[in-house]
Amino acid sequence: MDDGDAASIVRHTGKNTLTVRTAELATALICALCSIGLMVKSAELNIGWVEGRGPGAGAWPFWLSAGMLAASLVTVWRWFRRRTAQSRSLEPYISRESVLVVGVSAGSILFLLVATHLIGLYAALFLFLLFYLKFVGRHSWPLTAALMIALPVFIFCLFEWALKIPLPKSITEPLFYPIYDLMYS
């Protein structure tokens, strides 16, 4: 299909939609820009070989970013040459329903981050799992309840007890005092 076909598709559907072809180019360009930014920041550190120590602190991120830049440029080149099915596709990139699911997921994760600051990680995770499992995932109450309890307990045991890494508890901290008494007595 050529660009004339794209115009006929837009006229046929009556709306402008992001196509797979456009999304591929946009993603490649965004990745290329991010790669350049990461290379610049990494070059502020030593990206060469440090005698007696090995590669400098910026070497790994710099060369990884250079590889990502090369892959992005190859994608752009293949897009212009229309070498892949994606670079020729004028199908809509994402449906309205998919945008809604992604939006709800992003909003839920934002809630988790804000609530972690306000009420602590464990209470925020409990509420996040309730909403996401029961209302988004439409799972049964027994499964939802089991995971709402099991996951925060597992994370507490892993980080606080086994690894001795305290996670934020905010206003719920006093609720953990009896558990600390058991752990450290």
Side-chain angles (χ1 to χ4, degrees):
M1 293 183 160
D2 62 14
D3 290 332
D5 293 333
S8 67
I9 288 175
V10 170
R11 280 192 302 274
H12 177 69
T13 61
K15 54 185 156 184
N16 291 325
T17 58
L18 179 65
T19 64
V20 171
R21 176 173 164 74
T22 307
E24 181 183 40
L25 178 64
T27 302
L29 292 175
I30 290 168
C31 285
L33 290 173
C34 289
S35 298
I36 292 167
L38 288 169
M39 290 172 70
V40 168
K41 287 304 282 180
S42 299
E44 292 175 2
L45 302 170
N46 186 351
I47 61 171
W49 191 263
V50 178
E51 192 63 40
R53 289 187 38 216
W60 178 245
F62 178 86
W63 291 109
L64 203 67
S65 299
M68 190 168 81
L69 176 60
S72 298
L73 294 176
V74 167
T75 301
V76 169
W77 178 79
R78 290 170 55 129
W79 184 88
F80 277 110
R81 308 269 309 183
R82 295 180 184 233
R83 297 282 178 151
T84 63
Q86 292 81 9
S87 66
R88 295 185 300 272
S89 176
L90 296 175
E91 295 293 318
Y93 175 66
I94 192 166
S95 68
R96 181 180 174 105
E97 295 79 22
S98 297
V99 170
L100 183 62
V101 169
V102 169
V104 167
S105 298
S108 301
I109 292 171
L110 180 63
F111 166 80
L112 177 64
L113 293 173
V114 171
T116 295
H117 178 71
L118 298 174
I119 61 174
L121 177 68
Y122 302 110
L125 185 57
F126 183 86
L127 294 173
F128 170 80
L129 290 169
L130 169 67
F131 173 74
Y132 210 80
L133 291 171
K134 186 62 190 163
F135 301 108
V136 176
R138 292 179 168 68
H139 293 285
S140 68
W141 276 112
L143 177 65
T144 301
L147 289 173
M148 284 170 43
I149 294 167
L151 284 173
V153 168
F154 172 77
I155 290 171
F156 178 86
C157 290
L158 175 65
F159 283 94
E160 308 264 347
W161 182 59
L163 298 174
K164 305 289 188 236
I165 299 172
L167 296 178
K169 292 172 211 60
S170 189
I171 62 171
T172 62
E173 180 88 35
L175 300 174
F176 290 86
Y177 293 162
I179 298 170
Y180 294 151
D181 289 341
L182 292 172
M183 286 172 47
Y184 300 115
S185 60

